[in-house]
C-alpha cells in the first residue's frame, strides 16, 4: 500500500479537503445496492444504480463477455458510500478485476467510517481502500500478471456537524483513478457541477488504473486524484463509468471545438487546460438537456434511466452497423457514428435523511 500513500503525500491530495467536523454515520437501516447483480431501488427513492450494455448483438448474443462494470451504493441514515469500477480491456480478467476491487474498496472504507472525525480524515481512508482494492485484484494469483486491471471511482457523503459554523450540511469526498466521472446536481441552483474536473475520457485510454500494469506489477497512478465538495439536502450525486462519460464528450459526438466557441476544428489542437474547461461546461449543459427541468423527474432513478437511454440512443448507428456487418470494422467518424459503445453504468443518490 506504500506506493498509494506516497503518491498522495507527494501530490498533497489531502490538503485540498476541507477540515469540516463530521457526524458519525448511523448504520441503522443500512441498505446496500450492488450491480450488475442487483438493480432494485433503495427504499424512499434515495438511491438507484444500473449497468447496461450498448454493445452490438449478434444472433441474440452480446459480442463481448458479461459486464466489465460493477457498482455498490451503501445508504446509511445520514451518510452514503459509493463505488463504480470498470474493467480495462476485455476477457475474464477484465470482468474479475472490478468485482474484486469494488468489494475490497467498500469493505475497507465502510469499516473505517467510525474513525472519521473530519472530512479531511476521509482522504487517507480513501487511499487505503484503493490500495486494498489493488491488492485484492492480485490476491491468490500464482502469476500476478494473470490478474486484470480496472478503473475505480468511489467516495462518501457525510453529515457535517455545523451547529457552530457556516459549513455546508453535507460533505462529499471521492477518489478517482481512470476515466470514471462524478457530477453533482444542485437542487437550489438547478444545475450540474463537475465533481471530478480534469478527468476526461478519450474513449480508448483510461489515464490510470489499479491492478498489475507497470513494471513490478504496480498500478498506473497517473491521474489518481481526490475531490471534495459541500452539498445540501435534496442535491443529487452521480457516479458514472466511461460508458456514460464517453457519450458526453463533444469530440466523440462529432462536435468540433468551433461549436464550443474555440478557434479550432480539431480537439487535438486545443490546449488541454482549455479543452478540459470547455468539455466540462459542455457535459454539465448536456446533462441538463438530457434530464430536463421537470422537478418531479429529477430523482436518482429517473436521472439514471434517462442517462442510460441517452447512451443507447447515441450509439444506435454504430450498433446497427456492426450488427448488420459483423465482419467489418466501424470507421472512426464520430459525425457519422457518434458516441462509444461500452458497458455503461450510472449510480445516483439524493443527499439527506431517509
Amino acid at each position: 500500500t506504500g506506493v498509494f500513500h506516497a503518491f498522495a503525500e507527494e501530490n498533497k491530495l489531502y490538503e485540498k479537503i476541507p477540515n469540516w467536523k463530521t457526524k458519525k454515520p448511523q448504520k441503522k437501516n443500512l441498505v446496500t445496492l450492488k450491480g450488475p447483480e442487483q438493480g432494485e431501488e433503495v427504499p424512499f427513492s434515495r438511491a438507484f444504480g444500473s449497468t447496461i450494455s450498448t454493445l452490438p448483438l449478434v444472433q441474440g448474443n452480446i459480442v463481448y463477455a458479461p459486464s466489465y462494470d460493477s457498482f455498490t451504493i451503501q445508504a446509511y441514515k445520514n451518510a452514503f458510500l459509493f463505488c463504480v469500477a470498470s474493467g480495462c480491456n476485455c476477457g475474464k480478467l477484465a470482468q474479475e478485476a472490478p468485482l474484486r476491487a469494488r468489494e475490497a474498496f467498500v469493505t475497507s472504507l465502510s469499516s473505517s467510517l467510525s474513525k472519521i472525525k473530519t472530512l479531511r480524515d476521509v482522504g487517507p481512508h480513501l487511499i487505503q481502500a484503493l490500495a486494498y482494492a489493488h491488492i485484492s485484484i492480485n490476491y491468490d494469483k500464482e502469476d500476478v500478471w494473470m490478474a486484470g486491471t480496472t478503473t475505480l471511482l468511489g467516495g462518501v457523503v457525510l453529515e457535517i456537524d455545523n451547529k457552530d459554523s457556516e459549513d455546508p450540511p453535507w460533505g462529499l469526498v471521492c477518489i478517482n483513478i481512470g476515466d470514471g466521472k462524478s457530477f453533482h446536481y444542485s437542487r437550489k441552483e438547478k444545475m450540474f457541477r463537475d465533481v471530478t474536473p480534469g478527468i476526461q475520457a478519450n474513449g480508448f485510454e483510461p489515464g490510470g488504473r489499479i491492478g498489475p500494469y507497470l513494471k513490478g506489477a504496480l498500478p498506473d497512478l497517473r491521474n489518481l486524484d481526490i475531490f471534495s465538495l459541500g452539498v445540501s439536502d435534496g442535491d443529487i450525486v452521480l457516479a458514472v463509468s466511461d460508458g456514460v462519460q464517453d457519450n458526453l464528450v463533444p469530440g466523440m459526438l462529432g462536435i468540433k471545438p468551433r461549436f464550443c466557441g474555440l478557434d479550432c476544428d480539431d480537439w487535438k489542437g486545443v490546449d488541454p487546460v482549455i479543452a478540459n474547461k470547455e468539455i466540462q461546461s459542455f457535459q454539465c449543459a448536456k446533462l441538463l438537456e438530457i434530464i430536463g427541468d421537470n422537478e418531479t423527474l429529477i430523482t436518482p432513478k429517473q436521472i439514471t434511466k434517462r442517462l442510460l437511454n441517452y447512451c443507447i440512443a447515441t450509439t444506435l448507428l454504430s450498433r446497427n452497423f456492426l450488427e448488420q456487418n459483423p465482419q467489418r470494422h466501424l470507421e472512426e467518424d464520430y459525425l457519422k457514428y457518434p458516441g462509444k459503445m461500452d458497458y455503461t453504468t450510472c449510480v445516483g443518490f439524493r443527499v439527506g435523511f431517509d
Side-chain angles (χ1 to χ4, degrees):
T1 64
V3 63
F4 290 88
H5 288 288
F7 183 93
E9 293 290 347
E10 180 182 349
N11 291 276
K12 300 180 180 180
L13 299 187
Y14 308 139
E15 296 180 12
K16 303 184 297 180
I17 307 172
N19 204 29
W20 300 329
K21 185 178 179 181
T22 57
K23 292 185 179 181
K24 184 178 180 180
Q26 301 175 36
K27 294 190 175 182
K28 183 180 179 181
N29 298 326
L30 169 66
V31 178
T32 299
L33 178 66
K34 293 183 180 182
E37 304 99 297
Q38 299 172 263
E40 296 82 13
E41 191 172 4
V42 175
F44 311 112
S45 301
R46 296 179 70 203
F48 191 82
S50 183
T51 294
I52 64 166
S53 169
T54 60
L55 294 165
L57 302 174
V58 176
Q59 296 179 349
N61 297 311
I62 293 177
V63 171
Y64 299 95
S67 181
Y68 300 147
D69 282 7
S70 178
F71 70 84
T72 292
I73 310 172
Q74 286 190 344
Y76 297 75
K77 180 178 177 61
N78 65 334
F80 283 95
L81 185 157
F82 64 95
C83 178
V84 173
S86 183
C88 303
N89 302 318
C90 57
K92 181 180 178 180
L93 300 182
Q95 301 166 39
E96 179 185 75
L99 288 170
R100 287 187 170 205
R102 178 199 71 184
E103 290 299 297
F105 181 88
V106 171
T107 298
S108 174
L109 188 56
S110 61
S111 67
S112 66
L113 289 182
S114 61
K115 305 172 187 176
I116 294 170
K117 306 300 181 184
T118 72
L119 203 65
R120 187 170 296 170
D121 291 344
V122 177
H125 292 293
L126 286 174
I127 288 291
Q128 186 72 8
L130 188 67
Y132 280 137
H134 170 74
I135 293 170
S136 74
I137 296 172
N138 303 335
Y139 180 72
D140 75 9
K141 301 289 184 182
E142 292 185 11
D143 179 356
V144 70
W145 295 106
M146 291 305 294
T149 60
T150 184
T151 64
L152 189 144
L153 166 64
V156 293
V157 170
L158 300 176
E159 185 183 8
I160 303 300
D161 186 357
N162 62 354
K163 61 181 179 180
D164 298 318
S165 70
E166 296 183 358
D167 297 335
W170 303 87
L172 161 66
V173 189
C174 65
I175 192 167
N176 192 73
I177 185 167
D179 49 6
K181 197 79 176 161
S182 179
F183 297 97
H184 160 245
Y185 176 77
S186 169
R187 183 182 179 185
K188 180 180 179 180
E189 299 173 350
K190 293 181 171 49
M191 62 178 290
F192 280 95
R193 179 178 286 105
D194 186 350
V195 179
T196 50
I199 303 295
Q200 299 295 349
N202 66 16
F204 305 99
E205 207 283 320
R209 66 184 78 188
I210 54 174
Y213 186 70
L214 302 178
K215 184 177 180 180
L218 293 174
D220 177 5
L221 304 182
R222 279 175 297 157
N223 71 350
L224 170 62
D225 209 344
I226 293 177
F227 306 89
S228 58
L229 186 70
V231 295
S232 301
D233 291 89
D235 291 357
I236 293 176
V237 176
L238 302 178
V240 303
S241 67
D242 60 318
V244 172
Q245 195 202 167
D246 285 334
N247 291 298
L248 295 172
V249 175
M252 300 194 73
L253 298 175
I255 298 173
K256 296 186 180 297
R258 200 172 297 278
F259 177 85
C260 298
L262 302 175
D263 188 21
C264 184
D265 289 317
D266 189 339
W267 286 101
K268 294 179 181 178
V270 181
D271 178 273
V273 175
I274 296 176
N276 279 336
K277 183 179 179 180
E278 292 301 327
I279 292 171
Q280 179 181 333
S281 177
F282 178 90
Q283 289 181 319
C284 291
K286 192 67 176 177
L287 282 171
L288 272 181
E289 177 188 322
I290 295 167
I291 304 309
D293 57 5
N294 186 337
E295 280 291 324
T296 62
L297 297 179
I298 301 180
T299 67
K301 181 176 182 178
Q302 290 300 323
I303 290 176
T304 297
K305 288 185 172 293
R306 287 189 172 216
L307 262 181
L308 297 184
N309 285 337
Y310 160 79
C311 292
I312 291 172
T314 299
T315 55
L316 178 63
L317 294 176
S318 299
R319 192 165 48 256
N320 284 349
F321 176 87
L322 290 177
E323 289 176 353
Q324 295 165 15
N325 306 277
Q327 305 304 318
R328 296 176 62 183
H329 291 286
L330 185 71
E331 61 180 297
E332 190 177 323
D333 183 342
Y334 292 115
L335 189 60
K336 186 176 180 181
Y337 298 109
K340 181 192 168 219
M341 299 171 291
D342 202 347
Y343 292 101
T344 305
T345 295
C346 177
V347 302
F349 53 88
R350 190 184 71 241
V351 177
F353 297 102
D354 62 6

